[in-house]
Amino acid sequence: MANKKKKCLFCKEFHIAEEGIKTPAGFFCQMDHAVKHARAVSERQRKRQQQKAKQVQAKEDKASRAASKEAKRRDLKWQRGLTQKAFNKMRVLEEKLWFQERGLEPECISCGRPIGGDQWCCGHFKTRGAQSGLRYDRKNTFLQHNHRCNMNLSGDISGTKTTRGYKQGLIDRFGEEEGQKIIDYCESNSDPVKWSWEELEEMRSSFNKRIRELDRNLNAN
């Protein structure tokens, strides 16, 4: 048919078929449009491949993060660190609440003084290194000055010329009989304890729950 027209695949306009270019991709009115169409197709393919590669990489990264997270969960050192942090925070709050409920100003178990310019910490009577089984034990942990008594005096267990010491602090606070029971308990429980990562996670969950309760109680008063 004379002057038969076909639509250019690129510009979408109709042109006389005999004047255009026929390629495996389709009909074009001129070579420039055929080239531009090929480039556009190539660019779309490149972007699809790029997007697919990103999706594959994202999936691999997610799997890697999940594997890393699971590996970390099984790392006992990592679990102990997080659990200790939660326990220490819980005990400081429990101690503050103990004093608040009695209308008393919080004082250090070792020197008997208020916070002053220091910071409060969870002071261990028996160190975690010496008696690991007591690292998460309430009877082995009381409110203490972080820098002055805990760090600079290594817990100040027996006292100095100007401080009473941890042992006497327990007796002053709880009385001769109860204070000595706490001391005897800590000194006799020397067997090391090895918690599994599952046990540490469960303990930490209970500590964090208790922390939320303590925050509400302290802020309510």
Side-chain angles (χ1 to χ4, degrees), residues 139 142 167 170-185:
K139 290 184 179 180
F142 294 90
K167 287 183 178 181
L170 289 171
I171 292 173
D172 289 350
R173 179 167 166 180
F174 298 106
E176 183 75 36
E177 183 177 351
E178 186 61 29
Q180 191 59 50
K181 281 183 179 180
I182 295 173
I183 294 171
D184 292 342
Y185 169 84

Side-chain angles (χ1 to χ4, degrees), residues 14-74:
F14 286 89
H15 300 270
I16 297 175
E18 294 180 354
E19 296 177 357
I21 302 168
K22 187 176 181 181
T23 72
F27 173 80
F28 298 93
C29 63
Q30 56 181 292
M31 180 59 71
D32 183 53
H33 283 192
V35 172
K36 288 181 178 179
H37 174 79
R39 287 176 178 171
V41 171
S42 178
E43 180 63 15
R44 288 196 295 270
Q45 290 176 340
R46 185 189 69 81
K47 287 183 177 180
R48 283 197 296 269
Q49 291 172 351
Q50 189 178 57
Q51 183 62 29
K52 185 176 180 180
K54 285 183 179 179
Q55 292 173 346
V56 171
Q57 186 62 51
K59 188 175 181 180
E60 291 177 351
D61 290 345
K62 184 178 180 180
S64 178
R65 287 194 298 271
S68 178
K69 183 177 180 180
E70 185 61 27
K72 186 174 283 188
R73 286 183 69 196
R74 298 173 183 274

Side-chain angles (χ1 to χ4, degrees), residues 207-219:
F207 295 158
N208 285 328
K209 181 180 179 181
R210 176 63 173 153
I211 287 170
R212 291 190 292 271
E213 294 174 353
L214 290 163
D215 279 332
R216 287 194 296 270
N217 291 336
L218 286 166
N219 292 329

Side-chain angles (χ1 to χ4, degrees), residues 72-136:
K72 186 174 283 188
R73 286 183 69 196
R74 298 173 183 274
D75 185 333
L76 287 176
K77 183 178 180 180
W78 182 79
Q79 287 282 5
R80 281 196 300 269
L82 285 183
T83 305
Q84 190 69 66
K85 184 178 180 180
F87 175 80
N88 290 355
K89 182 177 181 179
M90 178 191 72
R91 285 297 294 135
V92 168
L93 294 175
E94 284 183 336
E95 284 283 85
K96 286 182 177 180
L97 184 61
W98 187 92
F99 284 103
Q100 185 183 87
E101 289 176 340
R102 291 161 178 77
L104 302 173
E105 182 177 7
E107 65 174 36
C108 174
I109 193 67
S110 295
C111 68
R113 299 171 185 170
I115 189 169
D118 209 323
Q119 297 174 328
W120 288 131
C121 74
C122 168
H124 285 69
F125 177 60
K126 290 297 181 179
T127 66
R128 292 169 290 174
Q131 292 178 220
S132 61
L134 296 176
R135 66 165 56 233
Y136 309 121

